[in-house]
């Protein structure tokens, strides 16, 4: 699977650890940066990575900033992105099973590398539930996305 990764200065170290894990699992990682811990603007990296997922150039995204919410707020402005912030494996399971989230956002200042790795492993290996009620709910969210978000060109 091709995975878009992006981060700000607060997420560089954790992103690098996650990147190594994903590559060891056979995934291709497209790293949109940043690549150091110098202060930067999160949107400069999250937006291009989000667009790559929305356009189908990457199948999923994993974004890391200080808390995770900045990445999610930016990513969710892009049509077709369903970004979630997860702080434990249980949330990662539900984000995939119930919502079919295609972008995982993590807070490098909030969770350590061991917890982050368990979250990523869980999120990557969990499939969406196929029961009618979950499909119906996801379809409603997709309808909202299609009605109110401008399509990516």
């Amino acid at each position: 699977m091709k995975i878009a990764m992006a981060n700000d200065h607060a997420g560089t170290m954790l992103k690098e650890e996650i990147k190594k894990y994903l590559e060891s699992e056979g995934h291709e990682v497209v790293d949109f940066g940043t690549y150091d811990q110098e202060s930067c603007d999160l949107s400069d990296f999250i937006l291009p990575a989000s667009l790559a997922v929305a356009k189908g150039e990457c199948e999923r995204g994993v974004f890391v900033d200080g808390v995770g919410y900045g990445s999610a707020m930016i990513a969710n402005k892009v049509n077709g992105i369903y970004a979630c912030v997860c702080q434990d494996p249980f949330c990662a399971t539900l984000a995939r099973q119930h919502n079919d989230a295609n972008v995982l956002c993590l807070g490098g200042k909030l969770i350590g590398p061991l917890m982050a790795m368990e979250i990523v492993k869980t999120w990557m290996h969990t499939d969406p539930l196929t029961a009618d009620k979950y499909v119906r709910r996801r379809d409603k969210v997709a309808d909202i996305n299609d009605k109110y978000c401008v399509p990516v060109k």
Side-chain angles (χ1 to χ4, degrees), residues 42-118:
L42 181 61
S43 57
D44 293 344
F45 307 98
I46 299 301
L47 180 59
S50 298
L51 291 170
V53 175
K55 292 177 181 178
E57 296 165 2
C58 295
E59 294 169 70
R60 292 194 201 168
V62 178
F63 304 160
V64 187
D65 64 42
V67 181
Y69 292 105
S71 293
M73 289 174 62
I74 295 163
N76 281 321
K77 301 292 185 214
V78 176
N79 185 294
I81 296 297
Y82 302 97
C84 60
V85 178
C86 294
Q87 296 167 340
D88 58 58
F90 179 71
C91 291
T93 298
L94 295 179
R96 289 288 303 140
Q97 285 182 338
H98 291 222
N99 302 306
D100 194 10
N102 59 0
V103 171
L104 172 64
C105 300
L106 298 168
K109 291 182 179 179
L110 295 181
I111 56 175
L114 294 176
M115 179 63 78
M117 294 312 296
E118 289 305 312

Side-chain angles (χ1 to χ4, degrees), residues 23-43:
E23 290 174 338
S24 76
E25 290 281 299
H27 300 290
E28 179 184 349
V29 174
V30 181
D31 189 342
F32 288 85
T34 192
Y35 309 103
D36 57 40
Q37 295 177 321
E38 295 296 318
S39 182
C40 64
D41 297 334
L42 181 61
S43 57

